[in-house]
Amino acid sequence: EIVAAIEARLDTRPKPLAGRRIIVTSGPTHEPIDPVRYIANRSSGKQGHAIAAALARLGADVRLVSGPVGIPDPAGIDTIHVESAREMRDAVEGLLPADAAVFVAAVADWRTANSADEKIKKVPGDGPPTLQMVENPDILATIGHHRNRPYLVVGFAAETQNIVANAETKLKKKGVDFIVANDVSAAGGAMGGDRNRVKIVSRTGVEAWPDMSKDEVAARLADVIAERLKTVAV
Amino acid sequence: EIVAAIEARLDTRPKPLAGRRIIVTSGPTHEPIDPVRYIANRSSGKQGHAIAAALARLGADVRLVSGPVGIPDPAGIDTIHVESAREMRDAVEGLLPADAAVFVAAVADWRTANSADEKIKKVPGDGPPTLQMVENPDILATIGHHRNRPYLVVGFAAETQNIVANAETKLKKKGVDFIVANDVSAAGGAMGGDRNRVKIVSRTGVEAWPDMSKDEVAARLADVIAERLKTVAV
C-alpha cells in the first residue's frame, strides 16, 4: 500500500483515464451446493487484477469486484469481495453509473436449483444425488443492456474451441463493445498461468495479439480503453 | 525454509515421533465437470497444514498430500499436490507403509459421471444440464482396511448437525482409530477461520476440546498421536 502510494506520487506519466470510473470483475464465482460443497469455475484472478491495476496506473478510479481468489487485492484499489454470481451482479449494479466496465471474471453459468442448508449426507442404499442446475444471471448481458449502461462494455470469453465464432455470438447477444477471447484449453496454458494469448473480437473484425504476460495484456488493454474513452466527455 | 531449518536446529525439545513416517492429507479436492468447471469442498487447508507442521516439530517424517489451497506448503515438509479424490487416494497409497495417517482433507464424496473434454456450452432452447454424480473412492475406508494399514489411522469429520452420532457411524464403518469431529455450521465458524472446536470420538468415548486456534488443535493432536505410538516399535 505504502509502496504503491509512493509509486503513484512519483509516476509522472500521462493519466488519460483521470476522472473515469471503471468497474472490473475478476476471479471465479462459487455457487453453493450445501454448506460445505460448491461448484466453481477455474480462475486465478490474475488477469482481472492485472487489468484493474493497469487502469488505475492510467488514472482511472477503479472499482474491482472479485470472486474468491488466492491473490491479494491490488494495492490502492477499492475491492468488493463476493462469492456467487448473484452477489457479483448485485455488486456491479450497485457501482453504476460508470464510464466503462470490464468483465474478466469467470462467472458460473449455472447454480444448483436448491442449495441445501445442511450438509447432504450419504444415505446407505441411496446412490449419489443428481444436481439439477438453473441458469445464473448473465451479468455481461445485464450490464450490456442496462439503462445505466457504461459507455464502454468489455467482455472476456474463455473458450476451449471455436474461439472466434463463440466470441462473435457473444458480442451480438450481450450488447458489448468488444470481447477479449482467450484459449483456455490445456494447450493454451492461460489457466492459472502468468501468460495469455488473446484475440480482440469487435464488430469491425478480429485482432490477434501475440503471446504475452498477463501484465502486458492488461497494459495494452488499458491503452485501448483509454483510446476509446478519449472522445467522451468526462 | 531457511528460518525453519534454523529453528529446527535450535529446537532442543524432545522428539517423540523421531523415526515415524506419518501421512497427512489436507485441503479440498476439485472434481472436474469440464475443463473450466469443477465441484469442490470448502477447505482452506489451514488445519491439515498445521497438523503436518506440528507432527514434524515432534520429529516425525511427515508426508503431506494437499488438494488445491491458497496457503504455502509448510516449511521443510515433503508436499505432494493433487486435485481430485482419485489422485489423492493414489498419492496416499503410494506413500504406504507408514506408522500413522491423519486424514484432514475435505474429500469430495462425488464427482460427475462424465467429465467433458470441452467446455459445456449453453445451447439456445436447451435448459441447463443435469449433473449425474457418482461416488468417489472413500480414501479413509480404503486406508482403514488396507493390508498395509498404518498402525494409527485418524479421520476428520466436518458436520453441520448430529456431529457425534455421524462421527460414531464413520468410526465403525471406516476402520479408523479415532475421529476428530468439528462443527462446520456457520455458527461454528471453523470454515476458513483460524479457530476450531473439535470433539475426539473414539471407541472408548467422546472427548470435547475447548475452542482453540487451529495451531493449538494441531499441537494437542500431535501429542495424542505421539502418546498412541509410544509403545509401538520404531
Side-chain angles (χ1 to χ4, degrees):
Chain A
E1 288 264 345
I2 295 164
V3 172
I6 294 169
E7 277 178 355
R9 286 287 181 89
L10 295 176
D11 187 356
T12 56
R13 285 171 300 183
K15 300 288 180 203
L17 290 174
R20 300 296 187 185
R21 180 182 174 104
I22 304 185
I23 302 166
V24 178
T25 69
S26 185
T29 64
H30 287 183
E31 309 298 329
I33 297 171
D34 67 19
V36 300
R37 303 181 176 96
Y38 62 93
I39 295 177
N41 274 1
R42 289 180 206 282
S43 171
S44 66
K46 285 177 187 172
Q47 186 65 81
H49 282 49
I51 289 166
L55 291 165
R57 274 194 297 272
L58 296 189
D61 171 19
V62 176
R63 305 303 165 100
L64 177 62
V65 180
S66 176
V69 294
I71 59 175
D73 295 347
I77 291 176
D78 259 352
T79 305
I80 299 175
H81 297 271
V82 298
E83 285 244 327
S84 69
R86 286 172 294 175
E87 289 168 13
M88 186 171 278
R89 177 205 51 199
D90 293 348
V92 169
E93 282 201 88
L95 290 168
L96 294 177
D99 296 288
V102 188
F103 295 95
V104 195
V107 179
D109 288 321
W110 326 299
R111 63 179 185 275
T112 53
N114 301 297
S115 83
D117 290 334
E118 302 290 350
K119 182 179 176 184
I120 304 169
K121 299 294 298 175
K122 287 189 203 176
V123 178
D126 277 17
T130 296
L131 299 181
Q132 182 57 53
M133 300 284 141
V134 295
E135 274 191 36
N136 260 331
D138 185 329
I139 303 176
L140 190 54
T142 301
I143 305 303
H145 298 118
H146 204 279
R147 65 191 176 89
N148 283 330
R149 184 190 190 278
Y151 177 81
L152 190 68
V153 175
V154 179
F156 266 66
E159 304 288 352
T160 56
Q161 53 185 355
N162 304 327
I163 294 163
V164 170
N166 281 326
E168 283 173 341
T169 306
K170 214 165 167 174
L171 187 72
K172 282 171 203 156
K173 270 178 33 191
K174 309 214 173 179
V176 306
D177 295 283
F178 60 91
I179 297 274
V180 182
N182 64 342
D183 179 358
V184 294
S185 63
M191 200 93 74
D194 291 319
R195 299 191 71 78
N196 211 351
R197 180 194 289 266
V198 303
K199 290 188 167 71
I200 309 297
V201 182
S202 68
R203 278 174 187 70
T204 55
V206 178
E207 191 182 315
W209 289 3
D211 176 76
M212 42 188 155
S213 74
K214 288 183 175 176
D215 285 338
E216 286 164 338
V217 169
R220 189 158 163 179
L221 188 63
D223 287 339
V224 169
I225 290 168
E227 187 62 32
R228 292 262 194 149
L229 289 178
K230 214 165 56 178
T231 57
V232 182
V234 176
Chain B
E1 288 266 342
I2 294 163
V3 173
I6 293 169
E7 278 180 354
R9 284 288 181 89
L10 296 175
D11 187 356
T12 56
R13 285 173 301 184
K15 300 289 179 203
L17 290 174
R20 300 296 187 185
R21 180 182 175 104
I22 304 186
I23 301 165
V24 178
T25 69
S26 185
T29 63
H30 286 183
E31 309 297 330
I33 297 171
D34 66 20
V36 300
R37 303 179 176 97
Y38 61 93
I39 295 177
N41 273 0
R42 288 182 205 282
S43 172
S44 65
K46 285 178 186 173
Q47 186 64 81
H49 282 49
I51 289 166
L55 292 164
R57 275 194 297 273
L58 297 188
D61 172 19
V62 176
R63 306 301 166 103
L64 177 62
V65 181
S66 176
V69 295
I71 60 175
D73 295 348
I77 291 175
D78 258 352
T79 305
I80 299 176
H81 297 271
V82 299
E83 284 245 328
S84 70
R86 286 172 293 177
E87 289 168 11
M88 186 172 276
R89 177 204 52 199
D90 293 346
V92 170
E93 283 200 87
L95 290 167
L96 295 176
D99 295 289
V102 188
F103 295 95
V104 194
V107 180
D109 289 321
W110 327 299
R111 65 179 184 277
T112 52
N114 301 299
S115 83
D117 289 335
E118 301 291 349
K119 183 178 176 185
I120 303 170
K121 299 295 297 174
K122 288 190 203 174
V123 178
D126 277 18
T130 295
L131 298 181
Q132 181 57 52
M133 301 284 141
V134 296
E135 275 192 34
N136 260 332
D138 186 329
I139 302 176
L140 191 54
T142 301
I143 304 302
H145 298 118
H146 204 279
R147 65 191 177 88
N148 282 330
R149 183 189 190 278
Y151 177 81
L152 190 68
V153 176
V154 179
F156 266 66
E159 304 288 351
T160 57
Q161 54 185 354
N162 304 327
I163 294 162
V164 170
N166 280 326
E168 282 171 342
T169 306
K170 213 165 168 174
L171 187 72
K172 281 170 202 157
K173 269 178 32 192
K174 309 213 173 180
V176 306
D177 295 283
F178 61 91
I179 296 274
V180 182
N182 63 343
D183 180 357
V184 293
S185 63
M191 202 92 74
D194 291 319
R195 299 191 69 79
N196 211 350
R197 180 194 289 268
V198 305
K199 291 187 167 72
I200 309 297
V201 182
S202 68
R203 280 176 184 72
T204 55
V206 179
E207 192 183 315
W209 289 3
D211 176 78
M212 41 188 154
S213 75
K214 288 183 175 175
D215 285 337
E216 287 165 339
V217 169
R220 189 157 164 181
L221 188 64
D223 287 339
V224 169
I225 289 168
E227 186 63 32
R228 292 261 194 147
L229 289 178
K230 214 165 60 178
T231 57
V232 183
V234 176

